[in-house]
Amino acid sequence: MNPIWAGAIAAAAGIAGGSMLRGELVRLSVPSGEPEQQACGNCAARLPDRPAFRCPHCGAWAGAPIGFEAVMAAVVGLLIARFGTQPAVAAFGYLGIVGVALTQIDIGVQRLPDRLTLPAYPALLILLALAAMIGQDWSAFARAVLGGLVAVAGYLLLSVASRGQLGGGDIKLAGLIGLVLGWLSWHTLAAGVVASFLLAAVASAVLLATRRISRTSKITFGPYLLGGAFIAMLASTATASR
């Protein structure tokens, strides 16, 4: 795809995604089990139900100005640059946008809220089904569904084996990632899993060395899941339609 068009689409996706999700980020950026944030942190006015960048009462930004949209645009831009006009690029971009939001929340409050992960399942299935219809590649769709199931089952077993080091949110997120990486290939799915654990291992070693965490600390795994998936997608030699 032409770089100018790729950049324009990525910028539009970043702005649209940021507009839709900024309010949700503020509401959901609370520890698990606590009530959602309902008021502006600057003036305590009630947050609007409609998508908004700023508080309508005092004008304060909902979160850090521009940065959220810029990261979304960068992620979507790289995915468009890699997969161009292939039919599944919309599904990849959707996961990229949701993934940026989930990463910010998980880093902030160690939470992967169902309100973002669960609706992503039907959305991704619909987008991948449309991609299969356009590309006449139902085998890739079947592999995506199986990849999602395998990822959920695998991380569920890891959660049991690790005695809760992996939470329910990580398992649900793994299913979403399994859908997308499974569409590309089994090798890409396996590479995403390996990359996730490598990223987590390196980050944990650095945090331990700098005494930011202890050996008994529970790490936030969602960003590593998403980071590993992103690396595997960009490095994949598979095509989105075969």
Side-chain angles (χ1 to χ4, degrees):
M1 178 179 285
N2 184 294
I4 295 176
W5 277 107
I9 294 171
I15 293 170
S19 176
M20 293 296 294
L21 292 174
R22 264 189 179 274
E24 287 293 274
L25 280 177
V26 174
R27 291 187 185 90
L28 298 173
S29 292
V30 294
S32 182
E34 291 191 8
E36 293 180 3
Q37 178 68 33
Q38 298 292 337
C40 170
N42 187 59
C43 69
R46 182 175 174 81
L47 294 171
D49 294 328
R50 59 180 172 78
F53 290 100
R54 296 172 178 265
C55 171
H57 183 73
C58 69
W61 278 83
I66 306 302
F68 185 49
E69 291 77 18
V71 174
M72 280 190 177
V75 169
V76 174
L78 287 170
L79 291 172
I80 291 174
R82 170 63 182 85
F83 296 103
T85 56
Q86 295 178 37
V89 71
F92 299 161
Y94 178 86
L95 180 62
I97 288 172
V98 173
V100 171
L102 288 170
T103 296
Q104 181 166 326
I105 295 171
D106 204 18
I107 290 173
V109 296
Q110 292 192 321
R111 181 188 180 201
L112 295 167
D114 288 348
R115 202 151 92 196
L116 291 180
T117 53
L118 295 184
Y121 275 95
L124 283 177
L125 286 169
I126 290 169
L127 290 171
L128 291 174
L130 288 173
M133 188 181 302
I134 293 169
Q136 292 297 301
D137 194 1
W138 290 103
S139 63
F141 182 75
R143 188 173 61 243
V145 174
L146 285 174
L149 293 172
V150 167
V152 167
Y155 278 90
L156 179 59
L157 290 174
L158 284 173
S159 178
V160 173
S162 65
R163 298 181 181 180
Q165 283 294 313
L166 291 177
D170 297 317
I171 297 167
K172 295 165 195 170
L173 176 58
L176 296 175
I177 290 170
L179 284 170
V180 170
L181 298 189
W183 169 277
L184 287 167
S185 69
W186 290 113
H187 176 78
T188 305
L189 177 54
V193 172
V194 172
S196 298
F197 282 100
L198 286 175
L199 286 174
V202 171
S204 297
V206 171
L207 291 172
L208 280 169
T210 56
R211 298 184 179 180
R212 299 286 298 275
I213 62 172
S214 69
R215 293 183 181 276
T216 58
S217 297
K218 183 177 180 180
I219 67 167
T220 300
F221 195 63
Y224 305 118
L225 264 174
L226 288 160
F230 187 61
I231 291 169
M233 291 172 72
L234 295 181
S236 174
T237 57
T239 61
S241 180
R242 290 185 290 187

mmCIF file of all heavy atoms in Angstrom, residues 206-225:
data_model
loop_
_atom_site.group_PDB
_atom_site.id
_atom_site.type_symbol
_atom_site.label_atom_id
_atom_site.label_comp_id
_atom_site.label_asym_id
_atom_site.label_seq_id
_atom_site.Cartn_x
_atom_site.Cartn_y
_atom_site.Cartn_z
ATOM 1 N N VAL A 206 14.890 -7.386 34.382
ATOM 2 C CA VAL A 206 15.276 -5.982 34.555
ATOM 3 C C VAL A 206 14.642 -5.404 35.816
ATOM 4 O O VAL A 206 15.299 -4.715 36.608
ATOM 5 C CB VAL A 206 14.870 -5.159 33.311
ATOM 6 C CG1 VAL A 206 15.071 -3.665 33.569
ATOM 7 C CG2 VAL A 206 15.668 -5.597 32.094
ATOM 8 N N LEU A 207 13.348 -5.692 36.025
ATOM 9 C CA LEU A 207 12.645 -5.170 37.203
ATOM 10 C C LEU A 207 13.211 -5.757 38.493
ATOM 11 O O LEU A 207 13.307 -5.062 39.510
ATOM 12 C CB LEU A 207 11.151 -5.473 37.088
ATOM 13 C CG LEU A 207 10.404 -4.703 35.993
ATOM 14 C CD1 LEU A 207 8.986 -5.218 35.851
ATOM 15 C CD2 LEU A 207 10.393 -3.208 36.286
ATOM 16 N N LEU A 208 13.587 -7.039 38.448
ATOM 17 C CA LEU A 208 14.211 -7.643 39.626
ATOM 18 C C LEU A 208 15.574 -7.017 39.901
ATOM 19 O O LEU A 208 15.921 -6.726 41.056
ATOM 20 C CB LEU A 208 14.363 -9.156 39.413
ATOM 21 C CG LEU A 208 13.135 -10.024 39.649
ATOM 22 C CD1 LEU A 208 13.382 -11.439 39.146
ATOM 23 C CD2 LEU A 208 12.777 -10.050 41.141
ATOM 24 N N ALA A 209 16.352 -6.808 38.831
ATOM 25 C CA ALA A 209 17.686 -6.245 38.997
ATOM 26 C C ALA A 209 17.627 -4.827 39.550
ATOM 27 O O ALA A 209 18.518 -4.403 40.298
ATOM 28 C CB ALA A 209 18.429 -6.259 37.658
ATOM 29 N N THR A 210 16.583 -4.091 39.184
ATOM 30 C CA THR A 210 16.440 -2.710 39.672
ATOM 31 C C THR A 210 15.577 -2.631 40.927
ATOM 32 O O THR A 210 15.243 -1.539 41.383
ATOM 33 C CB THR A 210 15.814 -1.826 38.575
ATOM 34 O OG1 THR A 210 14.557 -2.387 38.148
ATOM 35 C CG2 THR A 210 16.752 -1.721 37.385
ATOM 36 N N ARG A 211 15.190 -3.806 41.455
ATOM 37 C CA ARG A 211 14.414 -3.911 42.685
ATOM 38 C C ARG A 211 13.051 -3.218 42.594
ATOM 39 O O ARG A 211 12.528 -2.720 43.586
ATOM 40 C CB ARG A 211 15.212 -3.360 43.870
ATOM 41 C CG ARG A 211 16.499 -4.137 44.120
ATOM 42 C CD ARG A 211 17.226 -3.634 45.345
ATOM 43 N NE ARG A 211 18.455 -4.416 45.567
ATOM 44 C CZ ARG A 211 19.293 -4.189 46.573
ATOM 45 N NH1 ARG A 211 19.043 -3.221 47.447
ATOM 46 N NH2 ARG A 211 20.379 -4.936 46.706
ATOM 47 N N ARG A 212 12.493 -3.234 41.395
ATOM 48 C CA ARG A 212 11.146 -2.690 41.231
ATOM 49 C C ARG A 212 10.087 -3.713 41.626
ATOM 50 O O ARG A 212 8.958 -3.354 41.958
ATOM 51 C CB ARG A 212 10.944 -2.270 39.759
ATOM 52 C CG ARG A 212 11.903 -1.199 39.281
ATOM 53 C CD ARG A 212 11.549 0.156 39.855
ATOM 54 N NE ARG A 212 10.234 0.586 39.422
ATOM 55 C CZ ARG A 212 9.991 1.212 38.267
ATOM 56 N NH1 ARG A 212 10.997 1.468 37.432
ATOM 57 N NH2 ARG A 212 8.779 1.593 37.957
ATOM 58 N N ILE A 213 10.461 -4.991 41.555
ATOM 59 C CA ILE A 213 9.585 -6.073 41.983
ATOM 60 C C ILE A 213 10.413 -7.071 42.775
ATOM 61 O O ILE A 213 11.654 -7.038 42.751
ATOM 62 C CB ILE A 213 8.903 -6.799 40.792
ATOM 63 C CG1 ILE A 213 9.958 -7.464 39.887
ATOM 64 C CG2 ILE A 213 8.012 -5.860 39.998
ATOM 65 C CD1 ILE A 213 9.366 -8.361 38.805
ATOM 66 N N SER A 214 9.719 -7.981 43.483
ATOM 67 C CA SER A 214 10.398 -9.068 44.187
ATOM 68 C C SER A 214 10.096 -10.377 43.471
ATOM 69 O O SER A 214 9.282 -10.418 42.539
ATOM 70 C CB SER A 214 9.916 -9.142 45.637
ATOM 71 O OG SER A 214 8.558 -9.571 45.686
ATOM 72 N N ARG A 215 10.716 -11.453 43.923
ATOM 73 C CA ARG A 215 10.498 -12.757 43.293
ATOM 74 C C ARG A 215 9.077 -13.266 43.486
ATOM 75 O O ARG A 215 8.632 -14.163 42.772
ATOM 76 C CB ARG A 215 11.498 -13.779 43.833
ATOM 77 C CG ARG A 215 12.933 -13.482 43.440
ATOM 78 C CD ARG A 215 13.881 -14.547 43.922
ATOM 79 N NE ARG A 215 15.262 -14.236 43.563
ATOM 80 C CZ ARG A 215 15.808 -14.519 42.378
ATOM 81 N NH1 ARG A 215 15.083 -15.128 41.463
ATOM 82 N NH2 ARG A 215 17.064 -14.203 42.123
ATOM 83 N N THR A 216 8.371 -12.739 44.450
ATOM 84 C CA THR A 216 6.997 -13.176 44.713
ATOM 85 C C THR A 216 5.953 -12.238 44.088
ATOM 86 O O THR A 216 4.761 -12.484 44.211
ATOM 87 C CB THR A 216 6.732 -13.262 46.229
ATOM 88 O OG1 THR A 216 6.980 -11.975 46.823
ATOM 89 C CG2 THR A 216 7.641 -14.307 46.862
ATOM 90 N N SER A 217 6.400 -11.182 43.419
ATOM 91 C CA SER A 217 5.462 -10.229 42.822
ATOM 92 C C SER A 217 4.729 -10.856 41.640
ATOM 93 O O SER A 217 5.291 -11.670 40.900
ATOM 94 C CB SER A 217 6.196 -8.973 42.343
ATOM 95 O OG SER A 217 6.797 -8.298 43.418
ATOM 96 N N LYS A 218 3.482 -10.458 41.476
ATOM 97 C CA LYS A 218 2.695 -10.885 40.331
ATOM 98 C C LYS A 218 2.868 -9.862 39.215
ATOM 99 O O LYS A 218 2.588 -8.682 39.398
ATOM 100 C CB LYS A 218 1.214 -11.004 40.708
ATOM 101 C CG LYS A 218 0.334 -11.517 39.573
ATOM 102 C CD LYS A 218 -1.106 -11.673 40.036
ATOM 103 C CE LYS A 218 -1.982 -12.178 38.891
ATOM 104 N NZ LYS A 218 -3.400 -12.339 39.311
ATOM 105 N N ILE A 219 3.358 -10.305 38.067
ATOM 106 C CA ILE A 219 3.615 -9.369 36.978
ATOM 107 C C ILE A 219 2.351 -9.175 36.143
ATOM 108 O O ILE A 219 1.445 -10.015 36.135
ATOM 109 C CB ILE A 219 4.775 -9.844 36.073
ATOM 110 C CG1 ILE A 219 4.392 -11.119 35.311
ATOM 111 C CG2 ILE A 219 6.039 -10.051 36.874
ATOM 112 C CD1 ILE A 219 5.358 -11.452 34.194
ATOM 113 N N THR A 220 2.306 -8.046 35.465
ATOM 114 C CA THR A 220 1.218 -7.752 34.532
ATOM 115 C C THR A 220 1.566 -8.394 33.202
ATOM 116 O O THR A 220 2.502 -7.960 32.519
ATOM 117 C CB THR A 220 1.079 -6.223 34.380
ATOM 118 O OG1 THR A 220 0.792 -5.661 35.651
ATOM 119 C CG2 THR A 220 -0.037 -5.886 33.421
ATOM 120 N N PHE A 221 0.813 -9.432 32.805
ATOM 121 C CA PHE A 221 1.215 -10.223 31.641
ATOM 122 C C PHE A 221 0.547 -9.765 30.345
ATOM 123 O O PHE A 221 1.048 -10.048 29.255
ATOM 124 C CB PHE A 221 0.900 -11.703 31.893
ATOM 125 C CG PHE A 221 1.581 -12.637 30.939
ATOM 126 C CD1 PHE A 221 2.958 -12.728 30.889
ATOM 127 C CD2 PHE A 221 0.843 -13.426 30.074
ATOM 128 C CE1 PHE A 221 3.595 -13.570 30.000
ATOM 129 C CE2 PHE A 221 1.460 -14.292 29.187
ATOM 130 C CZ PHE A 221 2.844 -14.368 29.143
ATOM 131 N N GLY A 222 -0.578 -9.043 30.433
ATOM 132 C CA GLY A 222 -1.299 -8.642 29.226
ATOM 133 C C GLY A 222 -0.450 -7.910 28.204
ATOM 134 O O GLY A 222 -0.487 -8.244 27.004
ATOM 135 N N PRO A 223 0.330 -6.892 28.614
ATOM 136 C CA PRO A 223 1.151 -6.186 27.632
ATOM 137 C C PRO A 223 2.164 -7.094 26.923
ATOM 138 O O PRO A 223 2.465 -6.881 25.741
ATOM 139 C CB PRO A 223 1.866 -5.127 28.486
ATOM 140 C CG PRO A 223 0.936 -4.892 29.625
ATOM 141 C CD PRO A 223 0.353 -6.238 29.928
ATOM 142 N N TYR A 224 2.675 -8.099 27.623
ATOM 143 C CA TYR A 224 3.627 -9.013 26.991
ATOM 144 C C TYR A 224 2.916 -9.946 26.003
ATOM 145 O O TYR A 224 3.463 -10.273 24.945
ATOM 146 C CB TYR A 224 4.368 -9.818 28.053
ATOM 147 C CG TYR A 224 5.041 -8.951 29.085
ATOM 148 C CD1 TYR A 224 4.682 -9.023 30.425
ATOM 149 C CD2 TYR A 224 6.006 -8.019 28.716
ATOM 150 C CE1 TYR A 224 5.278 -8.207 31.380
ATOM 151 C CE2 TYR A 224 6.608 -7.199 29.656
ATOM 152 C CZ TYR A 224 6.224 -7.293 30.985
ATOM 153 O OH TYR A 224 6.815 -6.473 31.913
ATOM 154 N N LEU A 225 1.701 -10.369 26.357
ATOM 155 C CA LEU A 225 0.896 -11.153 25.420
ATOM 156 C C LEU A 225 0.686 -10.382 24.122
ATOM 157 O O LEU A 225 0.868 -10.907 23.020
ATOM 158 C CB LEU A 225 -0.465 -11.468 26.046
ATOM 159 C CG LEU A 225 -0.669 -12.807 26.746
ATOM 160 C CD1 LEU A 225 -2.039 -12.827 27.424
ATOM 161 C CD2 LEU A 225 -0.558 -13.944 25.750
#
